[in-house]
Amino acid sequence: MHRDLLNISYSEETISACVRGLGQRLAAEYADKNPIFLGILKGSFVFMSDLIRACDFPLEVRFLTASSYGSSTVTSGNVSVSGAPGTEIAGRHVIIVEDILDTGTTLAKIRDMLSAQNPASLKICAFLDKAECRRADISADYVGFTCPAAFFVGYGLDYAERYRNLPYVGVLKPEVYE
Ligand code: PRP
C-alpha cells in the first residue's frame, strides 16, 4: 500500500469484480443500441478503459474535460468544461462515465449541457458515489460503489494530480493535504 494512504478501501480484485458486474448490467440495457460512452477527464480514464472491456457489445467512446477541484480537496464550485460534444449526440444513447460523483456540481452542469443536444437517452455511470455529500439534484443510474465522505485517491482519482496510477482506491492521510 502507498505510504500516503490510510487504507485500501477497494482492492484491485474488488474493483475488477465490480466493473465486470457493471458491464453485464449495461449489456442488458444497451447491447443493441450502439451507445456513446462519454468519459469526463481526467479522472474517468482508468475506469473507462476497464469498463469498455467489460462491455461485450458495440459502443463508441468519447471524452470531454471538466475540472473544478484544482489542488484542493473541496470543489471550487466553478466547473470548467472543454471538448463537449455538440449535435453529433442528437438521437444517440449516451452514458456519462465518471470516476466519482461527489457534490454533483460537475455532472449537473454536464448533464444540462448534453440534454440541450437532445440525445435519445442520457444516463450516468459513476465508479464511486459519495451520496452523502450531494448538493446538486442529480443521481447516478449505474454505481460501482457507494462510498463515505472521505478523500479517495487511486484508480484515476487524484490529489493535486498525484496517485491516479494506483491500481486500487484508498483514503488519503489528512497530513498529506492539511
Ligand atoms: C473530480 C471528479 C469529478 C468531480 C466530482 O474532478 O473527476 O469530475 O471532481 O466532484 P463533484 O461531484 O463535487 O463536482 P476534478 O475537478 O478533480 O478533475 P479531474 O477529473 O481532472 O481530477
Side-chain angles (χ1 to χ4, degrees):
M1 179 176 85
H2 194 290
R3 65 179 181 281
D4 291 352
L5 299 188
L6 285 174
N7 66 349
I8 293 181
S9 308
Y10 306 103
S11 69
E12 282 188 77
E13 294 75 19
T14 303
I15 291 171
S16 176
C18 167
V19 173
R20 271 200 307 278
L22 284 172
Q24 287 164 3
R25 287 180 57 203
L26 288 164
E29 176 73 32
Y30 291 100
D32 58 354
K33 295 193 169 114
N34 189 30
I36 295 173
F37 282 45
L38 180 62
I40 313 302
L41 293 172
K42 295 191 275 262
S44 72
F45 75 101
V46 178
F47 176 46
M48 175 72 102
S49 70
D50 283 346
L51 184 64
I52 60 167
R53 286 177 289 174
C55 291
D56 188 18
F57 55 87
L59 58 85
E60 296 177 20
V61 175
R62 298 195 193 175
F63 290 98
L64 61 77
T65 300
S67 180
S68 65
Y69 280 71
S71 295
S72 171
T73 58
V74 292
T75 183
S76 67
N78 299 314
V79 185
S80 70
V81 177
S82 63
T87 52
E88 65 267 33
I89 66 165
R92 299 292 304 273
H93 295 278
V94 177
I95 303 156
I96 301 173
V97 177
E98 184 56 295
D99 55 336
I100 187 164
L101 184 50
D102 191 323
T103 64
T105 310
T106 304
L107 275 189
K109 177 167 181 176
I110 289 169
R111 175 195 57 191
D112 292 349
M113 288 173 66
L114 298 177
S115 293
Q117 305 294 343
N118 298 313
S121 68
L122 183 61
K123 292 201 173 171
I124 295 170
C125 179
F127 173 63
L128 295 181
D129 183 5
K130 213 187 273 188
E132 64 190 80
C133 295
R134 196 67 29 81
R135 278 187 241 151
D137 181 19
I138 193 160
S139 59
D141 303 283
Y142 299 89
V143 172
F145 300 105
T146 302
C147 64
F151 195 78
F152 295 96
V153 294
Y155 199 65
L157 293 148
D158 76 310
Y159 169 64
E161 298 301 331
R162 296 179 61 199
Y163 312 109
R164 293 194 200 271
N165 56 319
L166 298 179
Y168 45 78
V169 172
V171 176
L172 193 60
K173 286 180 179 170
E175 59 259 39
V176 175
Y177 55 84
E178 280 173 357

